[in-house]
Amino acid sequence: FMVKDYDQNAVIDIYVDGADEVDENLNLIKGGGGAHTNEKRLAKIANQFICVVDESKIVKTLGNFPLPVEIRTSHKEEALLELKKYSENITVRDSLSDNKNYIFHIHNFKITEPQKTEKDMLAINGVIDVGIFSDNKPQIVIVGNESSYRLIESWMAKTINWSSGSILWEKLFMFPFGEIKNLWKFHD
């Protein structure tokens, strides 16, 4: 492995990262660590984005975890006024982001339309990025627990009835010498 500076023209084969929340359509909230802007850049240039979480991160609707929004330091007040349309409960992180900007956390805000919300927030003057990953969501989510895991692929997310849990498809990946072999399991 080589560590390099970010290059928007680079290509990453596989990007693996966690998330603070994953909804039933594999939209994410990321940014609890304050690096969601840079993480989104990596997700965008990766051929494959794999997200690894535990079962507690799976939610029906995003918004239990406070939504991080990165704001230019010069636009703090202006952006705060606009963001209050989503919730009055907004806090500012004590430390700056990796990019030396403010990070606001929007609390008590259920995100029923992640793609629209992400787009609308990105249009606010001073917003650099928002912790919703709806355009740059993972192709695969690995959900682990103490003794096993399950995999959900993005094309499958819409076919699984998450609330009933009656049908669960898992696709296990093995990477021997660069080849991908698939093993399908059906559970009821």
Side-chain angles (χ1 to χ4, degrees):
F1 290 105
M2 263 193 307
V3 177
K4 293 183 170 184
D5 289 333
Y6 171 75
D7 175 359
Q8 68 181 12
N9 297 316
V11 175
I12 297 174
D13 292 330
I14 300 173
Y15 172 56
V16 180
D17 204 349
D20 300 302
E21 285 187 343
V22 180
D23 78 5
E24 59 188 5
N25 293 308
L26 304 189
N27 296 296
L28 309 178
I29 287 185
K30 293 181 56 55
H36 67 273
T37 299
N38 293 336
E39 292 167 345
K40 195 177 281 187
R41 289 174 179 161
L42 294 174
K44 184 177 266 186
I45 63 173
N47 288 330
Q48 184 93 19
F49 175 19
I50 300 172
C51 182
V52 181
V53 297
D54 65 46
E55 199 68 48
S56 70
K57 309 290 181 155
I58 304 296
V59 298
K60 179 95 173 129
T61 304
L62 298 176
N64 295 331
F65 190 86
L67 176 63
V69 181
E70 187 165 352
I71 307 293
R72 284 187 182 81
T73 54
S74 59
H75 291 79
K76 179 182 177 183
E77 297 304 321
E78 178 183 355
L80 181 59
L81 285 173
E82 289 293 318
L83 291 172
K84 285 195 175 199
K85 294 175 185 173
Y86 298 97
S87 173
E88 287 291 322
N89 188 356
I90 299 175
T91 58
V92 180
R93 185 175 289 192
D94 290 336
S95 58
L96 296 177
S97 72
D98 292 350
N99 301 316
K100 308 295 184 231
N101 297 299
Y102 289 116
I103 297 182
F104 292 176
H105 291 277
I106 302 175
H107 302 262
N108 305 327
F109 172 51
K110 289 295 184 184
I111 305 166
T112 57
E113 297 179 275
Q115 196 162 37
K116 179 182 181 327
T117 302
E118 181 178 14
K119 181 182 173 201
D120 291 349
M121 285 187 175
L122 287 172
I124 296 172
N125 194 21
V127 170
I128 294 169
D129 218 323
V130 59
I132 300 172
F133 281 54
S134 64
D135 285 332
N136 302 108
K137 58 187 173 183
Q139 288 81 26
I140 299 171
V141 173
I142 301 172
V143 184
N145 60 42
E146 288 188 30
S147 61
S148 66
Y149 65 92
R150 62 186 168 103
L151 287 103
I152 306 167
E153 289 189 81
S154 59
W155 66 269
M156 294 170 55
K158 291 186 170 106
T159 64
I160 296 173
N161 182 345
W162 286 40
S163 58
S164 74
S166 61
I167 298 175
L168 173 65
W169 285 92
E170 292 180 350
K171 188 173 184 181
L172 305 177
F173 286 86
M174 294 168 275
F175 297 94
F177 309 109
E179 295 180 12
I180 297 177
K181 294 183 179 181
N182 301 316
L183 173 65
W184 290 91
K185 287 184 173 181
F186 178 74
H187 299 279
D188 55 20

